[in-house]
Amino acid sequence: MKLKISILLIFILMVTAVAFAQARNAADVVAQVKKEFAPDTRVAVWTVKAGNERVATISGEVDNPRAKDALISRLEAEGITYRDKVKVLPDGSVAEKWAVVSISVACLRAEPRSGSELSSQAIMGTPMRVLKKENGMLMVQTPDGYIGYMTESSMRLMSDEEFEAWKVSPRVAVTVRETEMYATPKVDAKNIVSDLLLGNVLEQIGEKGGYYLVKTADSREGYVKKSDVEKFDVWADQSFDYAKIEANAFAMMGRPYLWGGMSSKMSDCSGFMRTIYFSNGIILQRDASQQALTGKKVNWKKWRSEAQKGDLIFIGTKAGKVTHVAMYIGDGKYIHSSGRIKVNSMDPEASDYLDYTFISMSRIQGEVGTQGIIAVKDHPWYF
């Protein structure tokens, strides 16, 4: 009798050990696939976890079906018994899978609640992929891949057909720091339909004299001065123009810093770079640490001889963590958003030198089309 109990106990222990080993192996596979498909969860959804039951439950969400396919394939290749509860976004909580921002600048939150941290912003006319609805807010992804939560009132949801129609519609892009859209074709402070900001995109539905009749994504109509906008297809087709980037940077001089800000109203350091480069039809990555991984590397220590106007300068900790970004404007000077938008120097002998830890420098000119730097005209969400 004791022998039977011992054998049964050994069997149970063996089964338990195998189950725990499989659970550990499943967790290892999850970690491997995440590293490959979602190393940066600012631009990819990955909440997948492996349970430690006898049959491992693989649960969570991803936004890339290829990531789930790779996960399942590797689990099966490892001979791991699993229960699949992984959801691929977009899910059934949203009928329309696309949206376009309908106000001059909309806020992206880190979590699905209005009081959550401001993680970024998206300006009028920005196309977005809608991933799911949660706690009354929508999880969206912007053209640079950034993911956050936005209120539905800031956008217009679109079906596939409506989104394709928007992409081929005649549009205009705002080319000045700020302007207005009026109910009638004249400047009238009592008839403002909306404020408009640098880089805002609107549909053009007519024109009258020196004004275009335009429409926001949520179908509000009004007039904007022709001198303040440019035909969108022409604007998007522009070549690299440092003079334009610099002019728009200085137009924002003195504007206050806003954590998560990304418009000509207020911005954080990387949002400032993103805004001024977008005015030249170029989409950069959202955060400084992401931008630092793009472009052609320049030796910042040789800035006197090798730096060019428009290069991005990355600043951070002595351990090498990037926390700040600025743009080189020549003669050792750079413009950046730190407290406010201002100019400082890399030269330790200059009166406006700041004791920063410089980490690296990247060139954007000549690198449009490389990883993390894309022209609006080449982005499939715009055309």
Side-chain angles (χ1 to χ4, degrees):
M1 182 67 177
K2 289 183 179 179
L3 179 61
K4 289 183 179 180
I5 293 173
S6 297
I7 292 173
L8 179 60
L9 181 60
I10 290 170
F11 177 74
I12 292 172
L13 290 173
M14 288 176 64
V15 170
T16 302
V18 169
F20 276 113
Q22 287 227 350
R24 284 196 300 271
N25 290 341
D28 289 342
V29 171
V30 168
Q32 292 166 10
V33 177
K34 178 184 184 299
K35 186 176 180 180
E36 180 179 345
F37 285 90
D40 185 349
T41 52
R42 289 172 293 185
V43 293
V45 176
W46 182 279
T47 62
V48 180
K49 294 181 180 179
N52 61 1
E53 308 93 342
R54 185 169 63 83
V55 177
T57 299
I58 312 299
S59 61
E61 296 175 331
V62 299
D63 67 324
N64 184 348
R66 289 177 55 245
K68 180 177 178 178
D69 291 344
L71 176 62
I72 299 303
S73 295
R74 293 183 199 182
L75 288 169
E76 293 177 349
E78 293 289 331
I80 297 171
T81 304
Y82 66 92
R83 184 179 295 108
D84 177 16
K85 289 191 175 182
V86 176
K87 294 181 180 179
V88 178
L89 303 178
D91 67 8
S93 63
V94 289
E96 296 92 351
K97 302 301 190 289
W98 298 99
V100 174
V101 177
S102 58
I103 57 177
S104 64
V105 56
C107 295
L108 263 71
R109 303 288 176 182
E111 298 175 1
R113 53 188 178 84
S114 59
S116 174
E117 173 191 4
L118 178 66
S119 59
S120 189
Q121 293 181 317
I123 59 175
M124 180 184 288
T126 299
M128 302 181 299
R129 193 161 71 112
V130 182
L131 299 176
K132 69 173 181 175
K133 190 168 188 176
E134 184 177 354
N135 197 28
M137 297 183 77
L138 295 172
M139 177 190 277
V140 296
Q141 184 175 41
T142 57
D144 53 11
Y146 217 74
I147 293 169
Y149 291 89
M150 186 178 289
T151 57
E152 189 172 336
S153 60
S154 299
M155 66 185 88
R156 178 195 164 194
L157 293 167
M158 295 183 178
S159 64
D160 290 345
E161 294 75 16
E162 290 170 325
F163 186 59
E164 290 302 316
W166 177 82
K167 290 198 294 182
V168 298
S169 66
R171 288 160 287 170
V172 295
V174 176
T175 55
V176 294
R177 185 188 67 192
E178 291 181 17
T179 187
E180 288 80 29
M181 175 180 171
Y182 299 100
T184 57
K186 66 177 181 178
V187 175
D188 185 350
K190 292 184 178 181
N191 280 304
I192 294 175
V193 176
S194 175
D195 66 319
L196 300 175
L197 302 174
L198 182 68
N200 281 180
V201 177
L202 305 100
E203 286 189 59
Q204 185 213 330
I205 55 177
E207 59 183 294
K208 188 171 185 179
Y211 292 80
Y212 286 125
L213 177 60
V214 295
K215 182 173 69 172
T216 62
D218 59 355
S219 298
R220 288 175 294 146
E221 295 183 9
Y223 293 86
V224 60
K225 289 189 290 185
K226 289 181 177 179
S227 58
D228 290 344
V229 298
E230 188 171 19
K231 295 279 190 176
F232 186 63
D233 55 350
V234 175
W235 175 87
D237 197 41
Q238 61 186 305
S239 57
F240 187 91
D241 187 350
Y242 170 73
K244 176 179 287 187
I245 295 169
E246 181 188 74
N248 284 317
F250 276 91
M252 292 174 63
M253 184 68 81
R255 296 249 156 166
Y257 176 97
L258 174 66
W259 176 271
M262 196 177 72
S263 79
S264 55
K265 281 187 176 182
M266 290 188 287
S267 65
D268 60 22
C269 63
S270 54
F272 178 44
M273 298 300 115
R274 180 73 161 64
T275 297
I276 59 178
Y277 264 91
F278 188 75
S279 72
N280 192 207
I282 299 168
I283 302 172
L284 300 181
Q285 293 294 285
R286 174 59 183 91
D287 291 342
S289 59
Q290 296 172 309
Q291 294 171 1
L293 300 176
T294 67
K296 179 182 178 181
K297 293 304 168 188
V298 179
N299 188 346
W300 73 265
K301 295 180 181 179
K302 297 183 179 180
W303 61 264
R304 295 179 191 274
S305 59
E306 295 189 10
Q308 292 183 9
K309 293 178 178 180
D311 290 349
L312 301 187
I313 306 165
F314 297 97
I315 296 157
T317 67
K318 295 189 186 307
K321 180 182 179 180
V322 172
T323 59
H324 190 54
V325 61
M327 185 179 75
Y328 189 74
I329 57 174
D331 297 324
K333 305 283 188 182
Y334 56 87
I335 189 167
H336 62 140
S337 180
S338 178
R340 57 180 169 80
I341 293 174
K342 58 187 178 182
V343 171
N344 287 103
S345 178
M346 298 183 74
D347 187 351
E349 303 301 319
S351 60
D352 54 356
Y353 173 77
L354 293 178
D355 188 18
Y356 277 152
T357 298
F358 296 103
I359 294 176
S360 66
M361 185 179 287
S362 293
R363 183 155 299 146
I364 305 302
Q365 185 173 6
E367 300 300 309
V368 179
T370 61
Q371 182 66 35
I373 307 170
I374 186 170
V376 171
K377 65 181 178 182
D378 295 325
H379 200 296
W381 294 6
Y382 281 98
F383 289 98

